[in-house]
Amino acid sequence: MKFFSSPATDKIETYKYPFSFIAPTKYVGGWVRQITATKLPVATKVAGAQMRLDRGGVRELHWHVEAEWGYMLYGEARVTVVDEQGRGYVNDVKAGDTWDFPAGIPHSIQGIGHDGAFFILGFNDGNFNPFDTFTVSDWISHTPKDILAKNFGVPSSTFDNIPSKLVYIFPGEMPRPLQFEQNYAAQTTGYAPQSYTFSSSKMKPTVTRNGGTVKIIDRSNFPVSDFAAAIVTLKPGALRELHWHPNADEWQYYIQGRALVNYCIILPYRNLYFHLGSATMGMFNGTGITITTNFQAGDVGYVPKSKGHYVENTGDVDLVFVELFPTPLYEDVSLASWLAHTPSRVVSENTKTSEKFVASINKKKAVIQPF
Ligand code: MN
Ligand code: MN
């Protein structure tokens, strides 16, 4: 274990927050808890939530100003969407699958696995509170019944039993068969032409190395996506190489295992290095502070745009984590690729290494080591 106490001049923001620190808000049918910039001030561009839906439990019909990215961790869910042209979409997602609900597009989610569903949500605004959504129950319960009657062309008695306030999550009957509901949703207007879900559980890894794999899910393979995501699996001891993302902040969710994450904030000559337990992330800020922190399943990590970082699996089982970016296309810059494709003389002089070393750097982007 290494530990150097922080110099008085350090201004290191927390870039980790465990979901386990937050008590869930419980409903009959499920629960939710969220990490916004209130809890994790560095996370200005992405807010996240964990949501549990019992079998039959429904996250009610709603929409929000932000786009929503979802990743199923456990179980199975049925999602519904209606696009801006009134075309319906219904599909089922399993563990490892993804969805994207664009900003303002209404949707619902229902747990349908034998034990419901458990998933994470990401929103492209760090201040977004998942409780600040526009829900069907909230709107109709605050609209005069004669207006509802006029709107739908029915007697106002139709609305005698509507909810008196926001519902959020409720226990529902299991849905009808998928094909039936898809046909129902497609009546008159046709079915929504774009898929709002992506079977990322079935895709082949984008990157396969001896040390692990990466699946990249973004607009290149999931056309509706407002987000880019990487699902990273690192074998024990493997390293997600030193890199940064030039186009977006990175929101991380640790699904399984332990990691050491190094995040470079860099103040010259000062390294703040925590290594307690077996997982680390390190992040590089560029003004002389490096902070290295342990992560485990259920933790959220955050790396602002272009800050250098690496993730090492310091546990004894595979580490699985999500990197989520509030941008449609995935981009990263590898330190090794940078050094490998810059003339070796200037690199060796700059780094005080040797041209032999520089020439030996893999010309192909490693992404994960061992290669
Ligand atoms: Mn939503
Ligand atoms: Mn990264």
Side-chain angles (χ1 to χ4, degrees), residues 240 243-245 250 252 303 309 311 321 323 325 330 332:
R240 172 77 179 91
H243 69 282
W244 66 94
H245 305 276
E250 172 176 336
Q252 302 172 334
V303 183
H309 55 286
V311 179
F321 69 100
E323 305 174 359
F325 308 88
Y330 180 86
D332 69 12

Side-chain angles (χ1 to χ4, degrees), residues 129-328:
N129 180 334
F131 292 104
D132 291 337
T133 56
F134 306 111
T135 79
V136 67
S137 64
D138 203 13
W139 200 8
I140 64 171
S141 67
H142 291 90
T143 303
K145 288 186 180 146
D146 63 309
I147 295 293
L148 293 174
K150 191 174 283 185
N151 189 68
F152 293 102
V154 295
S156 64
S157 61
T158 306
F159 306 102
D160 284 349
N161 299 315
I162 60 171
S164 58
K165 60 182 173 59
L166 171 73
V167 168
Y168 201 89
I169 288 172
F170 66 93
E173 298 287 327
M174 285 295 285
R176 297 191 171 90
L178 180 61
Q179 187 66 55
F180 178 92
E181 295 205 332
Q182 288 176 333
N183 292 341
Y184 183 89
Q187 292 173 95
T188 308
T189 53
Y191 199 62
Q194 285 191 307
S195 183
Y196 294 94
T197 59
F198 183 69
S199 298
S200 37
S201 61
K202 294 190 190 114
M203 76 178 274
K204 273 196 193 150
T206 315
V207 173
T208 301
R209 301 286 184 254
N210 289 325
T213 60
V214 182
K215 289 181 176 181
I216 294 175
I217 303 150
D218 68 3
R219 196 163 281 183
S220 65
N221 52 9
F222 184 21
V224 81
S225 192
D226 299 287
F227 295 85
I231 313 299
V232 182
T233 301
L234 294 181
K235 292 178 185 167
L239 182 75
R240 172 77 179 91
E241 69 169 336
L242 278 69
H243 69 282
W244 66 94
H245 305 276
N247 64 338
D249 289 13
E250 172 176 336
W251 182 89
Q252 302 172 334
Y253 179 80
Y254 288 82
I255 296 174
Q256 174 188 305
R258 294 171 182 225
L260 181 72
V261 182
N262 174 264
Y263 164 35
C264 187
I265 308 174
I266 297 213
L267 281 176
Y269 319 118
R270 304 273 191 189
N271 279 337
L272 181 63
Y273 188 75
F274 295 99
H275 185 180
L276 305 164
S278 56
T280 58
M281 165 166 94
M283 185 158 60
F284 172 58
N285 202 42
T287 51
I289 301 170
T290 303
I291 182 166
T292 308
T293 306
N294 300 295
F295 284 78
Q296 62 183 16
D299 289 346
V300 165
Y302 198 86
V303 183
K305 181 158 76 176
S306 281
K307 299 207 171 173
H309 55 286
Y310 63 80
V311 179
E312 180 186 21
N313 182 354
T314 49
D316 53 11
V317 297
D318 283 3
L319 173 72
V320 184
F321 69 100
V322 172
E323 305 174 359
L324 181 67
F325 308 88
T327 184

Side-chain angles (χ1 to χ4, degrees), residues 59 62-64 68 99 101 105 107 109 121 123 128 133:
R59 170 67 178 104
H62 70 282
W63 76 100
H64 24 76
E68 169 179 327
W99 65 77
F101 302 144
I105 295 298
H107 52 275
I109 309 166
L121 301 172
F123 303 93
F128 175 68
T133 56

Side-chain angles (χ1 to χ4, degrees), residues 41-53:
V42 69
T44 57
K45 300 290 196 287
V46 179
Q50 278 181 333
M51 189 173 286
R52 161 77 177 144
L53 295 173

